Amino acid sequence: MSVKLRHFSVLPLCFLGLLVCSPVIVLLSGSLMSAGELSQNLAPILSKSSGSYVRWSLLPRSPTLRSQVELLLDSPEFFHMFWNSVKITGGILLGQLLLGAPAAWGLARFRFRFRKTLLTLYLILMLMPFQVTMLSSFLVLDRLALLDTPWAVILPGAFSTFPVFLMYRFFRSIPEAILESARLDARNALQVFWYIGVPLGSAGIVSALVLGFLESWNLIEQPLAFLKEQALWPLSLYLPNISLERAGPAFAGSLLTLVPAFLVFLSGRDYLEQGITAAAMKE
């Protein structure tokens, strides 16, 4: 009886899993549809016609790779925006690594006045959404003459407080006895951080970088607010306006945009689980 109940309880979970994955399934099927089939299905929402509803089939009537070929061979703007995303994401991750890791180590292993106050400030800034800090960030970037440059998106992301908070938890869990042994071997503070802190806290560093990549790769509000020139836009803004004529390449572009994030998530899934567990632990 218990086995039957267990199997019965799996059914709602499977249904919820399919429901969560339904956007990706629709994206995959749409990228394989012909232009005529997409136009027929999306006409009620992408045209001025009224009185009809969107129709969608999970299996295309006549599967084709024409949209992928058109995107890869006849859409130079796609590759240009892809390179913009690579530059922005790479700059943000490099900044979070060079700035966040030492800051997290200092908060975790050094004792100084107002340390807890500074950590509380980090937590408050981490909880603030972009809409709250958008105006102040805009004014600062304008004063520094960085608006409409990739640095307008890279610098705020590089100084994000969430990677510091996440890496702080891992550095905090390193036993003090190990650090004392390193100091007895005539290691200075920088050497202790490099040879002891970084290897033992590598799981926190990698999990922070994985989360940072997933966030930076999908940025929308920051580029829209700080980048007026469309030539600087990342790949996440490749689809600001969808028309019936470009629906096929739009589906194919969305699917290809998802691939790097999916691969990074799979490669860092174990570290990501450790990071989520560490972030949930109390001080």
Side-chain angles (χ1 to χ4, degrees), residues 109 173-185 196 200:
R109 309 312 311 188
S173 63
I174 299 176
E176 184 65 26
I178 297 178
L179 304 181
E180 287 294 338
S181 300
R183 297 188 187 101
L184 291 176
D185 291 337
I196 304 297
L200 294 181

Side-chain angles (χ1 to χ4, degrees), residues 36-258:
E37 187 175 0
L38 281 174
S39 299
Q40 183 180 5
N41 292 338
L42 299 177
I45 58 174
L46 295 182
S47 65
K48 297 182 179 180
S49 61
S50 58
S52 56
Y53 298 93
V54 173
R55 294 178 299 175
W56 199 265
S57 57
L58 295 180
L59 298 177
R61 292 195 299 267
S62 54
T64 177
L65 296 176
R66 184 179 182 86
S67 297
Q68 286 80 354
V69 173
E70 182 179 351
L71 178 72
L72 296 177
L73 299 182
D74 196 28
S75 301
E77 68 277 5
F78 175 83
F79 295 97
H80 181 75
M81 299 179 80
F82 184 90
W83 177 241
N84 289 342
S85 288
V86 171
K87 291 190 294 185
I88 291 175
T89 304
I92 291 176
L93 295 183
L94 182 61
Q96 291 180 354
L97 181 62
L98 297 179
L99 300 173
W105 178 259
L107 289 172
R109 309 312 311 188
F110 290 96
R111 296 292 180 267
F112 51 88
R113 292 187 63 185
F114 306 114
R115 170 180 164 274
K116 290 189 176 181
T117 303
L118 183 59
L119 183 59
T120 302
L121 180 61
Y122 265 76
L123 294 176
I124 294 174
L125 292 175
M126 184 183 68
L127 295 176
M128 286 186 178
F130 172 72
Q131 292 80 1
V132 176
T133 60
M134 179 177 62
L135 180 58
S136 58
S137 299
F138 185 91
L139 295 176
V140 172
L141 293 171
D142 182 58
R143 185 68 174 176
L144 297 175
L146 294 176
L147 286 177
D148 218 19
T149 68
W151 294 106
V153 181
I154 293 175
L155 287 181
F159 284 94
S160 175
T161 57
F162 180 71
V164 177
F165 171 75
L166 193 58
M167 288 184 281
Y168 164 84
R169 293 295 181 180
F170 282 86
F171 290 147
R172 185 71 176 160
S173 63
I174 299 176
E176 184 65 26
I178 297 178
L179 304 181
E180 287 294 338
S181 300
R183 297 188 187 101
L184 291 176
D185 291 337
R187 301 283 186 178
N188 57 40
L190 182 59
Q191 290 175 328
V192 171
F193 167 68
W194 182 254
Y195 292 106
I196 304 297
V198 172
L200 294 181
S202 59
I205 296 174
V206 174
S207 62
L209 293 179
V210 170
L211 289 174
F213 178 89
L214 296 177
E215 180 182 5
S216 305
W217 187 258
N218 298 307
L219 286 178
I220 293 180
E221 296 174 322
Q222 291 85 340
L224 282 176
F226 302 145
L227 302 177
K228 297 180 182 179
E229 188 177 350
Q230 294 189 8
L232 299 174
W233 282 6
L235 194 58
S236 54
L237 299 180
Y238 180 68
L239 309 172
N241 296 305
I242 301 177
S243 61
L244 284 176
E245 294 76 15
R246 297 288 296 174
F251 275 95
S254 299
L255 187 63
L256 292 178
T257 303
L258 183 64

